Amino acid sequence: MNKALHQFGEYVLLMGKTLTVPTRWSMFFKQLVKEIYKLGVDSIWLVVIISIFIGTVIALQISLNFTSPLIPKFTIGFAAREIILLEFSSSIMCLILAGKVGSNIVSEIGTMRVTEQIDAMEIMGVNSANFLIMPKIMGLMLFIPVLVFFSMTTGIMGGIFASHVGADMTPASFEFGLQYYFNSFYITYSVIKSIFYAFLIASIASYYGYSVKGGSLEVGKASTNAVVTSSVMILMSDVVMTHIMLV
């Protein structure tokens, strides 16, 4: 418990150093574009591939379980849409990104720490936390809605594909279910959640990378701890934000 409180205190102090006004805006925007491409654009294909297959599997599994003649077939499309919009494209996708993006951030910053590059920046009077971490946090938070959009779109496309190959549903009934009682706020809800999750992923991974002590072996341990901590915090935040925004 004491260790957890100590780490939380260090995390808050680090975020205090990070979330400050950049001294050189031109350098900040250059780093921001670089991080958007590295953390966001490079993740598009991962998001698209996973979303297509998961959307297909969701539709197929729902059709296999909705076998009662009292349940109309369009509920397969309706249920698949709700699952993809409400949870998969925001929470589950961010759990996956926590592994890919989080480990990338920890390895980069942790390597700079163990090779004393961060110490050199501090000696030169540079706010290393702001210079290294702020662009990563802002870049992921700015691009995460794009990843959520790709996930929603390709996930639903996967469900439509399943409706063409599944024996227990038709494309017409599935598409009717997709449109049935559509609530546009669910998209806003997912985007808001994903932006908050992006902050958690980038900031927690940056903290573990920035706090590495020792050699390259410790960087690997920090990467594992960052992914685990980010995943737990995302799940806890999902419960809280769902209660606040939907209940």
Side-chain angles (χ1 to χ4, degrees), residues 59-105:
L60 289 174
Q61 289 186 347
I62 293 174
S63 68
L64 290 174
N65 286 278
F66 283 13
T67 56
S68 173
L70 299 177
I71 302 176
K73 294 299 180 182
F74 73 82
T75 55
I76 298 173
F78 173 79
R81 183 199 73 197
E82 300 296 274
I83 293 171
I84 292 171
L85 295 186
L86 289 173
E87 282 303 313
F88 174 74
S89 293
S90 55
S91 303
I92 306 303
M93 189 53 61
C94 283
L95 285 173
I96 296 170
L97 290 175
K100 187 215 179 259
V101 174
S103 59
N104 181 290
I105 293 173

Side-chain angles (χ1 to χ4, degrees), residues 8-24:
F8 179 72
E10 288 184 334
Y11 170 80
V12 172
L13 292 174
L14 179 62
M15 288 302 104
K17 289 177 58 180
T18 300
L19 304 176
T20 57
V21 178
T23 54
R24 297 180 61 185

Side-chain angles (χ1 to χ4, degrees), residues 19 25 31 43 48 53 63 68 88 96 99-100 119 123 151 162 168 176 183 195 205 211 239:
L19 304 176
W25 283 100
Q31 286 293 110
S43 301
V48 168
F53 283 102
S63 68
S68 173
F88 174 74
I96 296 170
K100 187 215 179 259
D119 296 333
I123 292 172
S151 179
D168 296 327
F176 178 77
N183 187 349
I195 292 173
S211 304
V239 176

Side-chain angles (χ1 to χ4, degrees), residues 43-63:
S43 301
I44 288 178
W45 284 112
L46 174 67
V47 169
V48 168
I49 292 171
I50 292 175
S51 298
I52 289 175
F53 283 102
I54 295 299
T56 304
V57 170
I58 287 173
L60 289 174
Q61 289 186 347
I62 293 174
S63 68

Side-chain angles (χ1 to χ4, degrees), residues 20-185:
T20 57
V21 178
T23 54
R24 297 180 61 185
W25 283 100
S26 59
M27 184 65 71
F28 171 76
F29 284 119
K30 182 179 179 180
Q31 286 293 110
L32 179 63
V33 173
K34 178 182 175 182
E35 297 299 341
I36 287 175
Y37 185 85
K38 183 170 61 177
L39 301 179
V41 176
D42 284 352
S43 301
I44 288 178
W45 284 112
L46 174 67
V47 169
V48 168
I49 292 171
I50 292 175
S51 298
I52 289 175
F53 283 102
I54 295 299
T56 304
V57 170
I58 287 173
L60 289 174
Q61 289 186 347
I62 293 174
S63 68
L64 290 174
N65 286 278
F66 283 13
T67 56
S68 173
L70 299 177
I71 302 176
K73 294 299 180 182
F74 73 82
T75 55
I76 298 173
F78 173 79
R81 183 199 73 197
E82 300 296 274
I83 293 171
I84 292 171
L85 295 186
L86 289 173
E87 282 303 313
F88 174 74
S89 293
S90 55
S91 303
I92 306 303
M93 189 53 61
C94 283
L95 285 173
I96 296 170
L97 290 175
K100 187 215 179 259
V101 174
S103 59
N104 181 290
I105 293 173
V106 174
S107 61
E108 179 182 341
I109 298 180
T111 301
M112 294 183 70
R113 171 61 78 185
V114 299
T115 56
E116 300 182 350
Q117 295 179 53
I118 294 178
D119 296 333
M121 294 173 65
E122 295 286 349
I123 292 172
M124 291 186 293
V126 177
N127 183 347
S128 58
N130 179 266
F131 179 78
L132 294 174
I133 301 174
M134 184 74 163
K136 298 181 187 299
I137 294 176
M138 293 301 299
L140 190 58
M141 290 177 69
L142 288 173
F143 199 79
I144 200 76
V146 178
L147 296 178
V148 169
F149 172 78
F150 272 102
S151 179
M152 290 178 179
T153 304
T154 53
I156 290 174
M157 287 173 59
I160 294 174
F161 171 76
S163 70
H164 284 83
V165 299
D168 296 327
M169 55 180 163
T170 62
S173 63
F174 187 86
E175 291 173 12
F176 178 77
L178 290 177
Q179 302 172 51
Y180 185 74
Y181 274 100
F182 174 70
N183 187 349
S184 60
F185 176 72

